[in-house]
Amino acid sequence: MIFESLAEKLQNSFKKLRGHGRLNEDDVNSAMRDIRMVLLEADVNFKVVKDFVAKVKERAIGSDIFETLTPAQTVIKIVNEELTALMGGTVSRLNISPKPPTIIMMVGLQGAGKTTSAGKLGAMFKKQGKHPLLVAADVYRPAAIKQLQIIGEQLDIPVFSQPEGTSPIEIAKKAVEHGHSHANDIIIIDTAGRLHINEELMQELKSIKAAVTPHDILLVVDAMTGQDAVNVAQSFNGDLGLDGVILSKMDGDARGGAALSVKAVTGCPIKFIGMGEKLEALEPFYPDRMASRILDMGDILSLIEKAQETFDVAETKKLEKALRRNEFTLDDFLAQMQQIKKLGSLDKILGLLPGMGSLKKQLGDVNLDLKNNKEMAHVEAIIKSMTPAERYTPSIINGSRRKRIAAGSGTKVQDVNKLLKQFAEMKKMMKKMTAAQGKKGFKRLKGLPKNLGNFKLPF
């Protein structure tokens, strides 16, 4: 989980401030020592840590103390604002040309995820209604062109390539001409990388840059390499002049040192982060949202955006009508469960909710992958083994029907009983909630069970 280690250790540091009536200099110094160690352990650049701690300390001891907040909340607020500033302050957008095509040049070392990131970027543009063209200009790495072509086929995005022996500079030039004539408004050039930075690599990239004048030069670096990622960004920026950085494999880096250092050290904004192997797993980088995640303050905006992308509007309206008419059936429940599964991992969802860090820790080894959750699969199998009449009116399901449903779904009769009982409780609760609307919100929810917080879904 992204920043998991950093977030947990910062939370432990803030706990020490709770219960203090006022913040004195000793309290702040103690907290800053903890924060300094936490950031260094997270592989954040030493100079960045030093400057960051100095700024937070100055504000915490100075005039930024807020009477309406507790000492711990005051420090968290200051740390949140300084973390946001450290990572760039605001989201950095791509430089889209007013006159198409927009040319994006992908650079980086071999193995950083450059070719996959080019595909992810293409998928993002296609989703926005653009017509991207992927350009295979890596003529050195074995199967690099084939890899890009496979990605292009999966996404239904055209890939421009040239016969063996054509130079990368020529490929880039011809790709731009091809893009002009085929109405491609986005051209993404996948250039060659090396296992290390050398003069030959940089010279070739400079030649491509001079030949096609890209609107955006994006460096792809592996977030899991920590400070090495920052050093690579520094070298590329010095030689080539970068417009932004894509941090790949962020989902595998629990520390996050690269994300916290790269903007401060190089001046280059992080524009995107890769959050998995899937071709849609590329997210714009929002410094304020990321700072909130690190401090376990949640990221509600990202959660809303994810839900909007995932949930079917027609299905949601249908559910709302069913609830209003008190006609919520097992078919409706199954449809909603299938929409929820599209969100992917519950671990990621919890990471976007405020104060859920401790809950995630308590869950431990519980399977949080909604798509591959065994219990959800059992619920789905049970409902699908029912007849339409049984799904619409569960009250008709007697003993013999329960045995048949259990046999058909590969589960036990007890599992069927459990689902029906909890569905009945859920329907009762939804009926009371719906009835309460229009009666000053939920203040008059009389008769709801006291242990509502312990209510569990059937999966």
Side-chain angles (χ1 to χ4, degrees), residues 392-419:
Y392 189 78
T393 316
S395 58
I396 68 171
I397 304 176
N398 56 23
S400 60
R401 285 176 185 258
R402 289 172 196 234
K403 284 180 184 176
R404 191 203 79 240
I405 292 165
S409 60
T411 59
K412 297 175 184 175
V413 173
Q414 294 96 308
D415 297 325
V416 179
N417 291 341
K418 182 184 173 186
L419 169 62

Short mmCIF file of all heavy atoms in Angstrom, two decimals, residues 392-419:
data_model
loop_
_atom_site.label_atom_id
_atom_site.label_comp_id
_atom_site.label_asym_id
_atom_site.label_seq_id
_atom_site.Cartn_x
_atom_site.Cartn_y
_atom_site.Cartn_z
N TYR A 392 -37.33 -12.25 -6.07
CA TYR A 392 -38.25 -11.13 -5.89
C TYR A 392 -38.97 -11.22 -4.54
O TYR A 392 -39.21 -10.22 -3.87
CB TYR A 392 -39.27 -11.10 -7.03
CG TYR A 392 -40.12 -9.85 -7.04
CD1 TYR A 392 -39.62 -8.65 -7.53
CD2 TYR A 392 -41.43 -9.87 -6.54
CE1 TYR A 392 -40.38 -7.50 -7.53
CE2 TYR A 392 -42.21 -8.72 -6.54
CZ TYR A 392 -41.67 -7.53 -7.03
OH TYR A 392 -42.44 -6.38 -7.01
N THR A 393 -39.33 -12.47 -4.14
CA THR A 393 -40.04 -12.68 -2.87
C THR A 393 -39.33 -13.75 -2.06
O THR A 393 -39.72 -14.93 -2.08
CB THR A 393 -41.51 -13.10 -3.13
OG1 THR A 393 -42.07 -12.28 -4.15
CG2 THR A 393 -42.36 -13.00 -1.87
N PRO A 394 -38.27 -13.38 -1.33
CA PRO A 394 -37.49 -14.38 -0.58
C PRO A 394 -38.31 -15.14 0.48
O PRO A 394 -37.92 -16.23 0.89
CB PRO A 394 -36.40 -13.54 0.10
CG PRO A 394 -36.30 -12.30 -0.72
CD PRO A 394 -37.68 -12.04 -1.22
N SER A 395 -39.45 -14.57 0.87
CA SER A 395 -40.27 -15.22 1.91
C SER A 395 -40.83 -16.57 1.47
O SER A 395 -41.21 -17.40 2.30
CB SER A 395 -41.43 -14.31 2.32
OG SER A 395 -42.23 -13.99 1.19
N ILE A 396 -40.85 -16.85 0.16
CA ILE A 396 -41.38 -18.13 -0.32
C ILE A 396 -40.35 -19.25 -0.23
O ILE A 396 -40.65 -20.41 -0.50
CB ILE A 396 -41.90 -18.03 -1.78
CG1 ILE A 396 -40.72 -17.80 -2.75
CG2 ILE A 396 -42.96 -16.94 -1.91
CD1 ILE A 396 -41.11 -17.90 -4.22
N ILE A 397 -39.12 -18.90 0.14
CA ILE A 397 -38.05 -19.91 0.17
C ILE A 397 -38.18 -20.75 1.44
O ILE A 397 -37.79 -20.32 2.53
CB ILE A 397 -36.66 -19.25 0.08
CG1 ILE A 397 -36.56 -18.37 -1.18
CG2 ILE A 397 -35.56 -20.30 0.06
CD1 ILE A 397 -35.27 -17.59 -1.31
N ASN A 398 -38.74 -21.94 1.27
CA ASN A 398 -38.92 -22.85 2.41
C ASN A 398 -37.71 -23.79 2.54
O ASN A 398 -36.70 -23.62 1.83
CB ASN A 398 -40.23 -23.64 2.26
CG ASN A 398 -40.27 -24.39 0.92
OD1 ASN A 398 -39.23 -24.67 0.32
ND2 ASN A 398 -41.47 -24.71 0.46
N GLY A 399 -37.84 -24.79 3.40
CA GLY A 399 -36.74 -25.70 3.67
C GLY A 399 -36.22 -26.44 2.45
O GLY A 399 -35.00 -26.52 2.21
N SER A 400 -37.12 -27.00 1.63
CA SER A 400 -36.69 -27.76 0.46
C SER A 400 -36.04 -26.86 -0.59
O SER A 400 -35.07 -27.24 -1.25
CB SER A 400 -37.89 -28.50 -0.16
OG SER A 400 -38.89 -27.58 -0.57
N ARG A 401 -36.55 -25.64 -0.71
CA ARG A 401 -35.96 -24.68 -1.65
C ARG A 401 -34.54 -24.30 -1.20
O ARG A 401 -33.64 -24.15 -2.01
CB ARG A 401 -36.82 -23.41 -1.74
CG ARG A 401 -38.12 -23.59 -2.54
CD ARG A 401 -38.94 -22.32 -2.47
NE ARG A 401 -40.24 -22.44 -3.10
CZ ARG A 401 -40.57 -21.98 -4.30
NH1 ARG A 401 -39.67 -21.35 -5.02
NH2 ARG A 401 -41.79 -22.13 -4.78
N ARG A 402 -34.37 -24.15 0.11
CA ARG A 402 -33.05 -23.79 0.65
C ARG A 402 -32.03 -24.89 0.36
O ARG A 402 -30.88 -24.59 0.02
CB ARG A 402 -33.14 -23.53 2.16
CG ARG A 402 -33.89 -22.25 2.47
CD ARG A 402 -34.16 -22.07 3.97
NE ARG A 402 -35.19 -21.04 4.15
CZ ARG A 402 -35.05 -19.97 4.93
NH1 ARG A 402 -33.95 -19.77 5.61
NH2 ARG A 402 -36.03 -19.09 5.03
N LYS A 403 -32.47 -26.14 0.48
CA LYS A 403 -31.57 -27.27 0.16
C LYS A 403 -31.18 -27.24 -1.31
O LYS A 403 -30.02 -27.47 -1.68
CB LYS A 403 -32.25 -28.60 0.50
CG LYS A 403 -32.30 -28.92 1.97
CD LYS A 403 -33.00 -30.25 2.21
CE LYS A 403 -33.14 -30.55 3.71
NZ LYS A 403 -33.89 -31.79 3.95
N ARG A 404 -32.16 -26.99 -2.16
CA ARG A 404 -31.90 -26.94 -3.61
C ARG A 404 -30.94 -25.81 -3.96
O ARG A 404 -29.99 -25.99 -4.74
CB ARG A 404 -33.23 -26.73 -4.36
CG ARG A 404 -33.13 -26.92 -5.87
CD ARG A 404 -34.21 -26.20 -6.64
NE ARG A 404 -33.91 -24.78 -6.77
CZ ARG A 404 -34.69 -23.81 -6.30
NH1 ARG A 404 -35.80 -24.08 -5.64
NH2 ARG A 404 -34.34 -22.54 -6.47
N ILE A 405 -31.16 -24.63 -3.36
CA ILE A 405 -30.30 -23.47 -3.63
C ILE A 405 -28.87 -23.74 -3.16
O ILE A 405 -27.90 -23.42 -3.85
CB ILE A 405 -30.88 -22.20 -2.95
CG1 ILE A 405 -32.21 -21.80 -3.62
CG2 ILE A 405 -29.89 -21.04 -3.01
CD1 ILE A 405 -33.03 -20.81 -2.82
N ALA A 406 -28.74 -24.34 -1.97
CA ALA A 406 -27.41 -24.66 -1.43
C ALA A 406 -26.68 -25.63 -2.35
O ALA A 406 -25.49 -25.45 -2.67
CB ALA A 406 -27.54 -25.23 -0.03
N ALA A 407 -27.40 -26.67 -2.82
CA ALA A 407 -26.78 -27.66 -3.72
C ALA A 407 -26.38 -27.01 -5.04
O ALA A 407 -25.29 -27.27 -5.58
CB ALA A 407 -27.75 -28.81 -3.96
N GLY A 408 -27.23 -26.14 -5.55
CA GLY A 408 -26.96 -25.49 -6.84
C GLY A 408 -25.82 -24.50 -6.78
O GLY A 408 -25.16 -24.25 -7.79
N SER A 409 -25.57 -23.92 -5.60
CA SER A 409 -24.52 -22.90 -5.47
C SER A 409 -23.23 -23.45 -4.87
O SER A 409 -22.25 -22.71 -4.72
CB SER A 409 -25.03 -21.74 -4.60
OG SER A 409 -25.38 -22.21 -3.32
N GLY A 410 -23.25 -24.74 -4.51
CA GLY A 410 -22.04 -25.34 -3.92
C GLY A 410 -21.76 -24.82 -2.52
O GLY A 410 -20.61 -24.77 -2.08
N THR A 411 -22.82 -24.40 -1.80
CA THR A 411 -22.66 -23.89 -0.43
C THR A 411 -23.49 -24.75 0.53
O THR A 411 -24.10 -25.74 0.13
CB THR A 411 -23.12 -22.42 -0.34
OG1 THR A 411 -24.50 -22.34 -0.73
CG2 THR A 411 -22.29 -21.53 -1.23
N LYS A 412 -23.53 -24.35 1.79
CA LYS A 412 -24.32 -25.07 2.80
C LYS A 412 -25.65 -24.36 3.02
O LYS A 412 -25.78 -23.16 2.75
CB LYS A 412 -23.55 -25.13 4.12
CG LYS A 412 -22.24 -25.90 4.02
CD LYS A 412 -21.49 -25.79 5.33
CE LYS A 412 -20.12 -26.48 5.21
NZ LYS A 412 -19.30 -26.31 6.43
N VAL A 413 -26.62 -25.11 3.56
CA VAL A 413 -27.93 -24.53 3.87
C VAL A 413 -27.77 -23.37 4.86
O VAL A 413 -28.46 -22.35 4.77
CB VAL A 413 -28.88 -25.61 4.44
CG1 VAL A 413 -30.19 -24.97 4.92
CG2 VAL A 413 -29.18 -26.67 3.39
N GLN A 414 -26.79 -23.52 5.81
CA GLN A 414 -26.54 -22.45 6.78
C GLN A 414 -26.15 -21.15 6.10
O GLN A 414 -26.50 -20.05 6.55
CB GLN A 414 -25.42 -22.85 7.76
CG GLN A 414 -25.78 -24.02 8.66
CD GLN A 414 -25.26 -25.33 8.10
OE1 GLN A 414 -25.53 -25.64 6.94
NE2 GLN A 414 -24.54 -26.10 8.91
N ASP A 415 -25.37 -21.26 4.98
CA ASP A 415 -24.96 -20.06 4.22
C ASP A 415 -26.17 -19.38 3.60
O ASP A 415 -26.27 -18.14 3.58
CB ASP A 415 -23.95 -20.43 3.13
CG ASP A 415 -22.65 -20.98 3.69
OD1 ASP A 415 -22.24 -20.50 4.77
OD2 ASP A 415 -22.07 -21.88 3.07
N VAL A 416 -27.11 -20.19 3.08
CA VAL A 416 -28.33 -19.64 2.49
C VAL A 416 -29.17 -18.96 3.56
O VAL A 416 -29.67 -17.84 3.38
CB VAL A 416 -29.15 -20.76 1.79
CG1 VAL A 416 -30.44 -20.19 1.19
CG2 VAL A 416 -28.32 -21.43 0.69
N ASN A 417 -29.29 -19.62 4.73
CA ASN A 417 -30.05 -19.05 5.85
C ASN A 417 -29.46 -17.71 6.29
O ASN A 417 -30.18 -16.74 6.55
CB ASN A 417 -30.05 -20.02 7.04
CG ASN A 417 -30.86 -21.27 6.76
OD1 ASN A 417 -31.71 -21.28 5.85
ND2 ASN A 417 -30.62 -22.33 7.51
N LYS A 418 -28.13 -17.68 6.38
CA LYS A 418 -27.43 -16.46 6.81
C LYS A 418 -27.69 -15.31 5.85
O LYS A 418 -27.97 -14.18 6.27
CB LYS A 418 -25.93 -16.75 6.90
CG LYS A 418 -25.09 -15.58 7.38
CD LYS A 418 -23.61 -15.96 7.34
CE LYS A 418 -22.73 -14.76 7.65
NZ LYS A 418 -21.29 -15.07 7.49
N LEU A 419 -27.60 -15.59 4.55
CA LEU A 419 -27.84 -14.55 3.54
C LEU A 419 -29.27 -14.03 3.63
O LEU A 419 -29.50 -12.82 3.65
CB LEU A 419 -27.57 -15.11 2.14
CG LEU A 419 -28.02 -14.22 0.97
CD1 LEU A 419 -27.27 -12.90 0.98
CD2 LEU A 419 -27.81 -14.91 -0.36
#
